[in-house]
Amino acid sequence: MVPACPETDIGERGSGSGQTCPDIFELSDGNFAVLGTEATVALDGELPPDAARADYERIVVISRETLVRAKADIPDA
């Protein structure tokens, strides 16, 4: 399991829809947190052969609309 980072705070919302879920948040350390529908069991066997998922990682589904809306707030570099 990945240890929690107590010095990491949730920053601004990546989705401007005003709805609660799904959503994307930029963390204070530059990483992103995603709220979505947990789908690890349903999709794990569908991953391409060259994709790997660690035991502590989960597959989370967000709508296309959520990601497209958040795209404008995601930095290029």
Side-chain angles (χ1 to χ4, degrees):
M1 186 166 214
V2 174
C5 299
E7 68 281 356
T8 302
D9 297 317
I10 293 179
E12 295 184 27
R13 295 174 77 144
S15 172
S17 68
Q19 297 184 11
T20 57
C21 191
D23 216 335
I24 300 172
F25 296 90
E26 184 170 7
L27 304 176
S28 61
D29 65 359
N31 287 317
F32 290 88
V34 177
L35 299 178
T37 304
E38 207 286 334
T40 304
V41 172
L43 296 177
D44 199 38
E46 304 298 320
L47 292 174
D50 60 343
R53 181 186 63 79
D55 289 340
Y56 59 84
E57 294 177 319
R58 299 292 174 256
I59 300 171
V60 179
V61 175
I62 60 171
S63 70
R64 182 180 195 286
E65 179 184 6
T66 298
L67 188 57
V68 169
R69 285 180 182 231
K71 182 179 177 184
D73 296 323
I74 299 171
D76 291 331

